[in-house]
CSV table of all heavy atoms in Angstrom, one decimal:
chain,number,residue,atom,x,y,z
K,1,ASP,N,10.1,2.4,5.1
K,1,ASP,CA,11.5,2.5,4.7
K,1,ASP,C,11.5,3.3,3.3
K,1,ASP,O,12.6,3.3,2.7
K,1,ASP,CB,12.2,1.2,4.6
K,1,ASP,CG,11.5,0.2,3.6
K,1,ASP,OD1,10.5,0.6,3.0
K,1,ASP,OD2,12.0,-0.9,3.5
K,2,GLY,N,10.4,3.9,2.9
K,2,GLY,CA,10.5,4.8,1.8
K,2,GLY,C,10.2,4.2,0.4
K,2,GLY,O,10.4,4.9,-0.6
K,3,ARG,N,9.8,3.0,0.3
K,3,ARG,CA,9.5,2.3,-1.0
K,3,ARG,C,8.1,2.8,-1.5
K,3,ARG,O,7.2,2.8,-0.7
K,3,ARG,CB,9.6,0.8,-0.9
K,3,ARG,CG,11.0,0.3,-0.7
K,3,ARG,CD,11.0,-1.2,-0.6
K,3,ARG,NE,10.4,-1.6,0.7
K,3,ARG,CZ,9.5,-2.6,0.8
K,3,ARG,NH1,9.0,-3.2,-0.3
K,3,ARG,NH2,8.9,-2.9,2.0
K,4,ARG,N,8.0,3.0,-2.8
K,4,ARG,CA,6.7,3.4,-3.4
K,4,ARG,C,6.1,2.1,-3.9
K,4,ARG,O,6.7,1.4,-4.8
K,4,ARG,CB,7.0,4.4,-4.5
K,4,ARG,CG,5.8,5.0,-5.2
K,4,ARG,CD,6.2,6.2,-6.0
K,4,ARG,NE,5.1,6.5,-7.0
K,4,ARG,CZ,5.1,6.1,-8.3
K,4,ARG,NH1,6.1,5.4,-8.8
K,4,ARG,NH2,4.1,6.5,-9.1
K,5,VAL,N,4.9,1.8,-3.5
K,5,VAL,CA,4.3,0.5,-3.8
K,5,VAL,C,2.9,0.6,-4.2
K,5,VAL,O,2.3,1.7,-4.0
K,5,VAL,CB,4.4,-0.5,-2.6
K,5,VAL,CG1,5.9,-0.8,-2.2
K,5,VAL,CG2,3.6,0.0,-1.4
K,6,ILE,N,2.3,-0.4,-4.9
K,6,ILE,CA,0.9,-0.5,-5.1
K,6,ILE,C,0.4,-1.8,-4.5
K,6,ILE,O,1.2,-2.8,-4.4
K,6,ILE,CB,0.5,-0.4,-6.6
K,6,ILE,CG1,1.1,-1.5,-7.4
K,6,ILE,CG2,0.9,0.9,-7.2
K,6,ILE,CD1,0.7,-1.6,-8.8
K,7,THR,N,-0.8,-1.8,-4.0
K,7,THR,CA,-1.3,-2.9,-3.4
K,7,THR,C,-2.8,-2.8,-3.1
K,7,THR,O,-3.4,-1.7,-3.4
K,7,THR,CB,-0.6,-3.2,-2.0
K,7,THR,OG1,-1.0,-4.4,-1.5
K,7,THR,CG2,-1.0,-2.1,-1.0
K,8,THR,N,-3.5,-3.9,-2.7
K,8,THR,CA,-4.8,-3.8,-2.2
K,8,THR,C,-4.8,-3.6,-0.7
K,8,THR,O,-4.0,-4.3,0.0
K,8,THR,CB,-5.6,-5.1,-2.6
K,8,THR,OG1,-4.9,-6.2,-2.1
K,8,THR,CG2,-5.8,-5.2,-4.1
K,9,ALA,N,-5.6,-2.8,-0.2
K,9,ALA,CA,-5.6,-2.5,1.3
K,9,ALA,C,-6.3,-3.6,2.0
K,9,ALA,O,-7.1,-4.3,1.5
K,9,ALA,CB,-6.4,-1.2,1.5
K,10,ALA,N,-5.8,-3.8,3.3
K,10,ALA,CA,-6.4,-4.8,4.1
K,10,ALA,C,-7.5,-4.2,5.0
K,10,ALA,O,-7.3,-3.5,5.9
K,10,ALA,CB,-5.3,-5.4,5.1
K,11,LEU,N,-8.7,-4.6,4.5
K,11,LEU,CA,-9.9,-4.1,5.3
K,11,LEU,C,-10.0,-4.7,6.7
K,11,LEU,O,-9.5,-5.8,6.9
K,11,LEU,CB,-11.2,-4.5,4.5
K,11,LEU,CG,-11.3,-3.9,3.1
K,11,LEU,CD1,-12.4,-4.4,2.3
K,11,LEU,CD2,-11.3,-2.3,3.1
K,12,PRO,N,-10.5,-4.0,7.6
K,12,PRO,CA,-11.3,-2.8,7.5
K,12,PRO,C,-10.6,-1.4,7.4
K,12,PRO,O,-11.2,-0.4,7.5
K,12,PRO,CB,-12.1,-2.8,8.8
K,12,PRO,CG,-11.2,-3.4,9.8
K,12,PRO,CD,-10.4,-4.5,9.0
K,13,HIS,N,-9.3,-1.5,7.3
K,13,HIS,CA,-8.5,-0.3,7.2
K,13,HIS,C,-8.1,0.1,5.8
K,13,HIS,O,-7.0,-0.2,5.3
K,13,HIS,CB,-7.2,-0.4,8.1
K,13,HIS,CG,-7.5,-0.8,9.5
K,13,HIS,ND1,-8.1,0.1,10.4
K,13,HIS,CD2,-7.4,-1.9,10.2
K,13,HIS,CE1,-8.3,-0.4,11.6
K,13,HIS,NE2,-7.8,-1.7,11.5
K,14,GLY,N,-9.1,0.6,5.0
K,14,GLY,CA,-8.9,0.8,3.6
K,14,GLY,C,-8.1,2.1,3.3
K,14,GLY,O,-7.6,2.7,4.2
K,15,GLY,N,-8.1,2.4,2.0
K,15,GLY,CA,-7.2,3.4,1.5
K,15,GLY,C,-7.7,4.9,1.6
K,15,GLY,O,-6.9,5.8,1.3
K,16,PHE,N,-8.9,5.1,1.9
K,16,PHE,CA,-9.4,6.5,2.0
K,16,PHE,C,-9.1,7.1,3.4
K,16,PHE,O,-9.9,7.4,4.2
K,16,PHE,CB,-10.9,6.6,1.7
K,16,PHE,CG,-11.3,6.1,0.3
K,16,PHE,CD1,-12.4,5.4,0.1
K,16,PHE,CD2,-10.5,6.4,-0.8
K,16,PHE,CE1,-12.8,4.9,-1.2
K,16,PHE,CE2,-10.8,5.9,-2.1
K,16,PHE,CZ,-11.9,5.2,-2.2
K,17,ALA,N,-7.8,7.2,3.6
K,17,ALA,CA,-7.2,7.6,4.9
K,17,ALA,C,-5.8,8.0,4.7
K,17,ALA,O,-5.2,7.7,3.6
K,17,ALA,CB,-7.3,6.4,5.9
K,18,GLU,N,-5.2,8.6,5.7
K,18,GLU,CA,-3.8,9.0,5.6
K,18,GLU,C,-2.9,7.8,5.6
K,18,GLU,O,-1.8,7.7,5.0
K,18,GLU,CB,-3.4,10.0,6.7
K,18,GLU,CG,-4.1,11.3,6.6
K,18,GLU,CD,-3.7,12.3,7.7
K,18,GLU,OE1,-2.5,12.7,7.7
K,18,GLU,OE2,-4.5,12.6,8.5
K,19,TYR,N,-3.3,6.8,6.4
K,19,TYR,CA,-2.5,5.5,6.5
K,19,TYR,C,-3.5,4.3,6.4
K,19,TYR,O,-4.6,4.4,6.7
K,19,TYR,CB,-1.8,5.5,7.9
K,19,TYR,CG,-0.7,6.4,8.1
K,19,TYR,CD1,-0.9,7.7,8.6
K,19,TYR,CD2,0.6,6.1,7.7
K,19,TYR,CE1,0.1,8.6,8.7
K,19,TYR,CE2,1.6,7.0,7.8
K,19,TYR,CZ,1.4,8.3,8.3
K,19,TYR,OH,2.4,9.2,8.5
K,20,THR,N,-2.9,3.3,5.8
K,20,THR,CA,-3.7,2.1,5.6
K,20,THR,C,-2.8,0.9,5.9
K,20,THR,O,-1.6,1.0,6.2
K,20,THR,CB,-4.2,2.0,4.1
K,20,THR,OG1,-5.1,0.9,4.0
K,20,THR,CG2,-3.0,1.8,3.2
K,21,LEU,N,-3.4,-0.3,6.0
K,21,LEU,CA,-2.7,-1.5,6.2
K,21,LEU,C,-2.8,-2.4,4.9
K,21,LEU,O,-3.7,-2.3,4.1
K,21,LEU,CB,-3.3,-2.3,7.3
K,21,LEU,CG,-3.3,-1.7,8.7
K,21,LEU,CD1,-3.9,-2.7,9.8
K,21,LEU,CD2,-1.8,-1.4,9.1
K,22,ALA,N,-1.7,-3.2,4.7
K,22,ALA,CA,-1.7,-4.2,3.6
K,22,ALA,C,-0.9,-5.4,4.0
K,22,ALA,O,-0.1,-5.3,4.9
K,22,ALA,CB,-1.1,-3.5,2.4
K,23,ASP,N,-1.2,-6.5,3.4
K,23,ASP,CA,-0.3,-7.7,3.6
K,23,ASP,C,1.0,-7.5,3.0
K,23,ASP,O,1.1,-7.1,1.8
K,23,ASP,CB,-1.0,-8.9,3.0
K,23,ASP,CG,-2.3,-9.3,3.7
K,23,ASP,OD1,-2.4,-9.0,4.9
K,23,ASP,OD2,-3.2,-9.9,3.0
K,24,ALA,N,2.1,-7.7,3.7
K,24,ALA,CA,3.4,-7.5,3.2
K,24,ALA,C,3.7,-8.3,2.0
K,24,ALA,O,4.4,-7.8,1.0
K,24,ALA,CB,4.4,-7.8,4.3
K,25,ALA,N,3.1,-9.5,1.9
K,25,ALA,CA,3.4,-10.4,0.7
K,25,ALA,C,2.7,-9.8,-0.5
K,25,ALA,O,3.1,-10.3,-1.6
K,25,ALA,CB,2.9,-11.8,1.0
K,26,GLY,N,1.8,-8.9,-0.4
K,26,GLY,CA,1.0,-8.4,-1.6
K,26,GLY,C,1.5,-7.1,-2.1
K,26,GLY,O,1.0,-6.6,-3.1
K,27,LEU,N,2.6,-6.6,-1.6
K,27,LEU,CA,3.2,-5.3,-2.1
K,27,LEU,C,3.9,-5.5,-3.4
K,27,LEU,O,4.7,-6.5,-3.6
K,27,LEU,CB,4.2,-4.7,-1.1
K,27,LEU,CG,3.7,-4.4,0.4
K,27,LEU,CD1,4.8,-3.8,1.2
K,27,LEU,CD2,2.4,-3.6,0.3
K,28,LEU,N,3.6,-4.6,-4.3
K,28,LEU,CA,4.3,-4.6,-5.6
K,28,LEU,C,4.9,-3.3,-5.9
K,28,LEU,O,4.3,-2.2,-5.5
K,28,LEU,CB,3.3,-4.9,-6.7
K,28,LEU,CG,2.6,-6.3,-6.7
K,28,LEU,CD1,1.4,-6.3,-7.6
K,28,LEU,CD2,3.6,-7.4,-7.0
K,29,PRO,N,6.1,-3.2,-6.5
K,29,PRO,CA,6.7,-1.9,-6.8
K,29,PRO,C,5.9,-1.1,-7.7
K,29,PRO,O,5.5,-1.6,-8.8
K,29,PRO,CB,8.1,-2.3,-7.3
K,29,PRO,CG,7.9,-3.7,-7.8
K,29,PRO,CD,6.9,-4.3,-7.0
K,30,ALA,N,5.7,0.2,-7.4
K,30,ALA,CA,4.9,1.1,-8.3
K,30,ALA,C,5.8,1.4,-9.5
K,30,ALA,O,7.0,1.7,-9.4
K,30,ALA,CB,4.6,2.4,-7.6
K,31,PRO,N,5.2,1.2,-10.7
K,31,PRO,CA,6.0,1.5,-11.9
K,31,PRO,C,6.5,2.9,-12.0
K,31,PRO,O,5.8,3.9,-11.7
K,31,PRO,CB,5.0,1.3,-13.1
K,31,PRO,CG,4.0,0.3,-12.5
K,31,PRO,CD,3.9,0.7,-11.0
K,32,GLU,N,7.8,3.1,-12.3
K,32,GLU,CA,8.4,4.4,-12.3
K,32,GLU,C,7.8,5.3,-13.4
K,32,GLU,O,7.8,6.5,-13.3
K,32,GLU,CB,9.9,4.3,-12.6
K,32,GLU,CG,10.6,3.6,-11.4
K,32,GLU,CD,12.1,3.6,-11.6
K,32,GLU,OE1,12.6,4.1,-12.7
K,32,GLU,OE2,12.8,3.0,-10.8
K,33,ALA,N,7.2,4.6,-14.5
K,33,ALA,CA,6.7,5.4,-15.6
K,33,ALA,C,5.3,6.1,-15.2
K,33,ALA,O,4.8,6.9,-16.0
K,33,ALA,CB,6.5,4.5,-16.8
C-alpha cells in the first residue's frame, strides 16, 4: 500500500532480492530525515 518501512527480513527470504518477507508486527516507519 505504498508505505516506506524499515524492518528485519524473515529468513529464508532475506533482503538481497527484489522482494522480501517480514513479520507485519515488526514493521517500523522509515524516518523521513
Side-chain angles (χ1 to χ4, degrees):
D1 59 3
R3 289 177 294 133
R4 183 169 165 264
V5 299
I6 61 175
T7 191
T8 52
L11 299 174
H13 304 289
F16 300 141
E18 292 181 67
Y19 290 89
T20 188
L21 297 181
D23 293 332
L27 301 183
L28 296 168
E32 294 181 4

